[in-house]
């Protein structure tokens, strides 16, 4: 499938997603033949540990981009751009969907509109990283992109918690400071602390091994361990606490790459080891795309408004924040387009939003947007990096975007 995608100028990640779609419950799986495709969503969800593990390795790899040398030159820009583009996106989507609510109150409720605005801030790091790897992208835009995508998770978590708290307040008539403020901040702090400790212990453990096989095995085992630990949830009094898988593994990679002298070599070998896992992740992601949502005119309407407003928010937010921080014109022009892919984090937020009275609408709109963004997002990212002159692989697109 990736060979066929190359012939028509599409990134390999798009081929993996389409493969998953074909093996999903709405194509080959629908035939009911033993051993052919996924017969139901339950079959796909049963393999969720593969997706979680792949996301852990993806976050660990992105953490490698936060080296002190890069942070000194681009850290301030990455933080400002990461925050502002997410906030601008949330505001624009909120305005668009609240306007839609005022025009068609029966289509979408006000709490759902506000919640979707926060979900719009989330960006999927997996597809972005896969495109960067395939085309060996490198340069100022690529470096800033990987940093912003990593920061985006923390910003999106705060925005979603605050917006979801307000949405609950509108439905129930009261607002919880613990839910809106305390819990998201604790989740970020606990995730960063766990990742920091894990990175230090991994570096300490690596010193006792010298062969390549033992070191790569230890690194793989440690990422698996941090993925497992990040799934732990607990209570502190009336406060529900947990961890963000992406933040924990990202912080582990950041600490490790900055204190381990051989981290660059190890990360290169780890990338090659995890390639099959990444392919499985995208195949499962494609199989999970629910095509039944295309039957609902209301979902298509809300989804179209959501997709257009989110795209405008990402592009405008990235452009304005890059201009504000003095980024190169090339980065200002192309960064926003590379931030369009959306998947796992947004779906997780949509699952939480199911508690709203109109939660099913939120879930279906996010599923629709993921279907669109995951299929066209990697190509748009590839084209933007190509136009910026940062693709260095022989596997280049046939024509300039």
């Amino acid at each position: 499938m990736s060979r066929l995608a190359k012939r028509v100028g599409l990134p390999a990640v798009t081929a993996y997603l389409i493969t998953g779609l074909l093996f999903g419950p709405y194509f080959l799986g629908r035939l009911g033949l033993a051993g052919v495709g996924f017969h139901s969503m339950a079959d796909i969800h049963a393999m969720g540990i593969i997706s979680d593990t792949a996301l852990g390795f993806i976050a660990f790899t992105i953490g490698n981009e936060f080296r002190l040398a890069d942070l000194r030159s681009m850290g301030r820009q990455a933080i400002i751009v990461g925050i502002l583009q997410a906030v601008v996106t949330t505001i624009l989507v909120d305005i668009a969907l609240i306007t839609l609510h005022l025009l068609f109150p029966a289509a979408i409720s006000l709490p759902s509109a506000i919640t979707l605005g926060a979900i719009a801030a989330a960006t999927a790091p997996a597809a972005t990283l896969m495109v960067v790897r395939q085309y060996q992208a490198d340069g100022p835009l690529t470096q800033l992109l990987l940093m912003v995508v990593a920061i985006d998770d923390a910003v999106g978590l705060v925005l979603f918690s605050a917006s979801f708290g307000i949405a609950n307040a509108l439905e129930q008539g009261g607002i919880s400071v613990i839910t809106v403020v305390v819990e998201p901040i604790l989740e970020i702090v606990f995730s960063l602390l766990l990742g920091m400790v894990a990175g230090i212990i991994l570096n300490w453990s690596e010193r006792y091994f010298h062969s390549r096989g033992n070191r790569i095995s230890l690194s793989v085992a440690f990422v698996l361990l941090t993925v497992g630990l990040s799934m732990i949830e607990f209570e502190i009094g009336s406060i529900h606490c947990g961890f963000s898988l992406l933040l924990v593994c990202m912080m582990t990679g950041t600490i490790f790459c900055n204190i381990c002298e051989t981290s660059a070599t190890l990360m290169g070998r780890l990338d090659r080891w995890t390639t099959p896992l990444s392919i499985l992740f995208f195949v499962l992601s494609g199989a999970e795309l629910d095509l039944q949502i295309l039957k609902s005119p209301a979902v298509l309407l809300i989804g179209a408004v959501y997709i257009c407003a989110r795209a405008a928010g990402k592009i405008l937010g990235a452009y304005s924040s890059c201009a504000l921080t003095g980024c190169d014109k090339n980065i200002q022009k192309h960064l926003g387009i590379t931030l369009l892919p959306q998947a796992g984090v947004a779906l997780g937020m949509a699952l939480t939003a199911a508690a709203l009275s109109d939660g099913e609408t939120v879930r279906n709109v996010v599923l629709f947007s993921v279907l669109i963004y995951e299929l066209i997002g990697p190509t748009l990212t590839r084209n933007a990096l190509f136009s910026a002159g940062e693709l260095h692989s022989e596997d280049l697109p046939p024509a300039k975007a």
Side-chain angles (χ1 to χ4, degrees):
M1 288 295 287
S2 63
R3 281 292 183 184
L4 290 174
K6 182 181 178 181
R7 284 182 174 273
V8 294
L10 293 175
V13 61
T14 304
Y16 305 146
L17 288 164
I18 293 174
T19 301
L21 197 60
L22 293 175
F23 277 94
Y26 302 102
F27 283 93
L28 293 178
R30 199 176 186 86
L31 299 176
L33 301 176
V36 179
F38 298 98
H39 297 168
S40 67
M41 285 296 178
D43 291 344
I44 303 170
H45 296 158
M47 303 182 74
I49 187 63
I50 294 177
S51 298
D52 291 336
T53 303
L55 281 175
F57 280 104
I58 288 164
F60 185 76
T61 302
I62 289 177
N64 188 48
E65 299 299 320
F66 286 87
R67 293 183 177 270
L68 288 177
D70 296 331
L71 288 174
R72 291 190 187 100
S73 61
M74 304 186 75
R76 172 179 163 274
Q77 289 177 330
I79 292 172
I80 294 175
V81 172
I83 294 173
L84 288 184
Q85 58 84 21
V87 172
V88 169
T89 300
T90 296
I91 291 173
L92 284 186
V93 175
D94 274 343
I95 291 173
L97 292 181
I98 290 173
T99 302
L100 186 64
H101 162 73
L102 295 175
L103 294 175
F104 305 101
I108 185 172
S109 66
L110 183 58
S112 293
I114 294 172
T115 302
L116 280 168
I119 294 176
T123 300
T128 301
L129 184 62
M130 202 71 171
V131 171
V132 168
R133 282 177 174 174
Q134 179 184 354
Y135 296 104
Q136 299 171 26
D138 187 32
L141 173 60
T142 303
Q143 293 174 4
L144 182 62
L145 167 62
L146 293 176
M147 287 186 180
V148 169
V149 165
I151 293 169
D152 194 78
D153 185 43
V155 178
L157 177 64
V158 173
L159 289 173
F160 175 74
S161 298
S163 296
F164 186 58
I166 293 171
N168 267 325
L170 290 173
E171 285 197 344
Q172 301 172 12
I175 192 167
S176 170
V177 176
I178 291 178
T179 303
V180 175
V181 180
V182 178
E183 289 184 356
I185 291 177
L186 284 179
E187 181 170 336
I188 292 172
V189 171
F190 287 156
S191 298
L192 295 179
L193 285 176
L194 177 58
M196 186 182 301
V197 172
I200 293 171
I201 296 175
L202 174 57
N203 175 62
W204 174 77
S205 302
E206 292 278 6
R207 296 177 183 177
Y208 292 93
F209 299 92
H210 303 287
S211 73
R212 293 179 179 179
N214 284 336
R215 284 193 158 189
I216 194 67
S217 296
L218 184 62
S219 300
V220 169
F222 227 87
V223 175
L224 293 172
L225 176 63
T226 52
V227 169
L229 291 175
S230 66
M231 296 180 182
I232 295 174
E233 297 181 357
F234 56 96
E235 305 281 341
I236 300 178
S238 60
I239 303 174
H240 178 77
C241 301
F243 301 97
S244 165
L245 184 153
L246 290 174
L247 284 181
V248 172
C249 295
M250 182 197 72
M251 192 61 175
T252 303
T254 300
I255 296 297
F256 178 66
C257 77
N258 279 290
I259 62 178
C260 179
E261 296 178 355
T262 60
S263 63
T265 304
L266 282 169
M267 295 298 281
R269 294 182 188 133
L270 192 66
D271 283 349
R272 291 192 291 272
W273 186 90
T274 57
T275 297
L277 189 63
S278 298
I279 293 173
L280 283 173
F281 169 77
F282 286 109
V283 170
L284 288 172
S285 297
E288 204 170 12
L289 296 176
D290 189 347
L291 298 184
Q292 291 192 91
I293 56 173
L294 300 178
K295 297 178 180 178
S296 170
V299 169
L300 295 180
L301 171 63
I302 301 168
V305 173
Y306 173 87
I307 289 170
C308 293
R310 181 178 179 271
K314 287 292 181 183
I315 294 171
L316 178 62
Y319 182 87
S320 57
S321 56
C322 284
L324 181 65
T325 55
C327 292
D328 183 79
K329 293 286 185 182
N330 211 24
I331 297 177
Q332 294 179 31
K333 181 180 178 181
H334 297 108
L335 181 64
I337 297 174
T338 64
L339 296 173
L340 293 182
Q342 188 174 48
V345 177
L347 290 172
M349 292 176 178
L351 188 62
T352 303
L356 295 173
S357 60
D358 198 20
E360 189 65 20
T361 298
V362 174
R363 175 183 173 276
N364 288 336
V365 169
V366 172
L367 281 171
F368 176 58
S369 72
V370 167
L371 174 65
I372 302 300
Y373 280 128
E374 282 295 89
L375 291 177
I376 69 171
T379 302
L380 294 175
T381 299
R382 189 276 314 274
N383 290 347
L385 293 173
F386 181 63
S387 297
E390 297 195 2
L391 301 189
H392 306 292
S393 169
E394 294 180 0
D395 189 18
L396 294 175
K400 186 173 181 180

